[in-house]
Amino acid sequence: MALGRMASRLSLVLGGRRWTNTQAAPHIPVMAVETIKFLKPKDNELFLDMTFGAGGHTREILKVAPNAKVIALDRDPVAHEMALALAKQYPGQIYPVLGRFSELPGKLKQLYVNQQSIDGIIFDFGCSSMQFDEGSRGFSISKNGPLDMRMDQDRFPDTPSAAEILAKIEEVDLARILKIYGEEKQAKKIARAIVDARYSIKKIETTKELADVVQSCVGSGSFRLDKLQRPSHPATKTFQALRIFVNNELNEINYGMILAQRYLKIGGKMIAITFHSLEDTIVKRHVMGNVLNDMANTLPLKYCSHTISYEHDVMESAMKTSWHQITKHVVLPSDDEVEHNPRSRSAKLRAVVRVS
């Protein structure tokens, strides 16, 4: 890759946009210490932050390796604005890219980044604090707003929102989504309540309306406790399931793992931080080399995107690539981190090296 040509392309990627918020990023990176420990960044190396968010992990890389270069990918326009702001602080080192994992090959081609040319890749899956903190985006149970949940609704306005899906979906399909993507034990009961509500009362169009329907259905006594022994709203898994479905997250993660194999150098490291078992299952299967075998039985992906086409050579490469696990077991956040950053409570980190 010609870094000079890559730098010249940066002005095209920035597109003249400006992000004016000068406040500190409202997001604490999960397991940043462990990420840097396993990634071992060095000066002049090239990294790909696949889930830039507020840039916490990218900032940590640049603290350890001040002359490293980072491609900052995120599908969220707010996160992209933060990447643009950080790029101005580190001219010629941060390359902001707005897009999904499935759009990455075309984006990297524009930056003249070839396959097997990246030294390290970081995944930090799930939603960021910025998305949950903004009620108008429809991710949060505690902040009322339109039931949207689309991470990139500005770029893909024709993609149906969570409210639009609930207004039309069949009960049996909704129950399946809640069971598969939310691992919700009362999926059928909740699906029936949602469908009944839209016919007998009104369409569910806000986060509060959805949360209230689920809570009235399963009862207030079903509050669960998290790792900090705090009550968890009974609609938490319903919200998770709809968010995953709306954004096609599992298929994007699966494709992102394949791309990591294609673009990492031999000896390049991949750090993947997951927040629930569905994400971790996909990562674990790729790390273990069991990408396709029996996946449908354990992790049904019936609701897949028809806009993504896996090329034959891509899948062949994914099945042949070998990983060496840096850690014998999955890494969990320390009790101290969970106390100071509650978002980390369900996180799991896997670190691997590409060896063939």
Side-chain angles (χ1 to χ4, degrees):
M1 176 187 61
L3 291 179
R5 288 192 296 170
M6 179 173 164
S8 68
R9 283 278 182 170
L10 179 58
S11 60
L12 298 178
V13 177
L14 297 181
R17 302 178 66 183
R18 296 291 183 268
W19 183 65
T20 57
N21 189 348
T22 57
Q23 297 179 348
H27 179 84
I28 303 174
V30 171
M31 288 196 277
V33 173
E34 293 84 352
T35 296
I36 297 301
K37 173 185 175 183
F38 298 125
L39 194 62
K40 292 181 172 60
K42 299 177 182 177
D43 279 339
N44 300 315
E45 288 187 332
L46 177 63
F47 298 92
L48 174 55
D49 190 341
M50 295 280 275
T51 45
F52 179 79
H57 290 112
T58 289
R59 292 175 188 273
E60 294 299 320
I61 289 175
L62 295 175
K63 285 181 183 178
V64 177
N67 294 314
K69 292 178 173 59
V70 182
I71 300 170
L73 175 73
D74 207 293
R75 66 189 292 180
D76 191 304
V78 176
H80 183 60
E81 292 289 340
M82 292 185 173
L84 295 175
L86 191 62
K88 292 194 293 185
Q89 298 179 32
Y90 296 89
Q93 290 183 259
I94 306 294
Y95 303 90
V97 177
L98 178 62
R100 304 173 177 180
F101 297 157
S102 52
E103 298 177 89
L104 185 61
K107 302 287 184 177
L108 292 182
K109 185 176 181 180
Q110 292 175 0
L111 292 174
Y112 299 101
V113 177
N114 299 319
Q115 295 182 25
Q116 300 186 35
S117 65
I118 295 176
D119 296 284
I121 294 178
I122 300 175
F123 291 95
D124 180 5
F125 297 118
C127 276
S128 69
S129 303
M130 299 157 333
Q131 292 165 334
F132 283 119
D133 291 343
E134 193 68 38
S136 62
R137 305 199 62 182
F139 290 96
S140 176
I141 296 177
S142 61
K143 299 180 187 298
N144 191 31
L147 189 60
D148 195 309
M149 295 193 182
R150 292 173 294 179
M151 293 181 179
D152 42 17
Q153 67 268 40
D154 293 339
R155 298 181 62 229
F156 300 96
D158 294 334
T159 301
S161 67
E164 291 171 331
I165 290 170
L166 292 185
K168 299 179 180 180
I169 194 169
E170 297 290 337
E171 181 181 326
V172 62
D173 290 327
L174 178 57
R176 198 169 300 163
I177 288 172
L178 299 182
K179 181 179 180 180
I180 294 172
Y181 296 149
E183 301 177 291
E184 173 58 68
K185 295 180 180 179
Q186 302 192 60
K188 291 183 178 180
K189 187 176 181 181
I190 294 172
R192 168 63 60 87
I194 290 173
V195 172
D196 285 347
R198 83 184 183 200
Y199 286 123
S200 60
I201 306 175
K202 63 183 293 289
K203 293 180 180 179
I204 299 174
E205 297 178 326
T206 69
T207 54
K208 185 178 186 304
E209 289 171 350
L210 177 58
D212 288 346
V213 168
V214 176
Q215 184 165 344
S216 64
C217 167
V218 301
S220 58
S222 65
F223 273 73
R224 299 140 180 164
L225 299 178
D226 62 20
K227 190 174 179 179
L228 298 179
Q229 297 302 299
R230 302 176 308 178
S232 174
H233 196 285
T236 298
K237 292 186 176 182
T238 297
F239 271 67
Q240 172 187 301
L242 285 174
R243 189 203 81 216
I244 290 173
F245 177 68
V246 167
N247 294 288
N248 195 32
E249 289 183 33
L250 299 188
N251 291 291
E252 286 288 330
I253 290 173
N254 190 57
Y255 192 49
M257 297 297 296
I258 293 172
L259 292 177
Q261 295 178 359
R262 297 187 75 181
Y263 283 94
L264 270 179
K265 294 177 178 178
I266 302 299
K269 303 178 185 68
M270 179 183 74
I271 311 297
I273 301 173
T274 61
F275 291 88
H276 56 74
S277 61
L278 299 178
E279 294 172 343
D280 188 57
T281 296
I282 295 175
V283 173
K284 182 168 59 177
R285 283 177 173 267
H286 277 272
V287 168
M288 300 298 293
N290 186 17
V291 181
L292 299 176
N293 184 34
D294 202 33
M295 184 176 235
N297 291 335
T298 304
L299 185 64
L301 297 177
K302 175 181 177 180
Y303 305 98
C304 63
S305 171
H306 298 289
T307 63
I308 300 177
S309 176
Y310 298 115
E311 300 174 6
H312 179 74
D313 63 326
V314 173
M315 298 309 300
E316 285 291 320
S317 173
M319 296 301 292
K320 292 178 181 178
T321 301
S322 298
W323 297 101
H324 170 70
Q325 298 187 62
I326 300 176
T327 58
K328 184 176 181 180
H329 302 290
V330 66
V331 179
L332 303 177
S334 65
D335 292 338
D336 184 64
E337 177 170 4
V338 171
E339 181 179 353
H340 290 89
N341 184 12
R343 178 177 176 265
S344 69
R345 64 187 179 274
S346 58
K348 294 180 179 180
L349 182 150
R350 295 183 185 274
V352 296
V353 178
R354 185 169 184 251
V355 295
S356 67

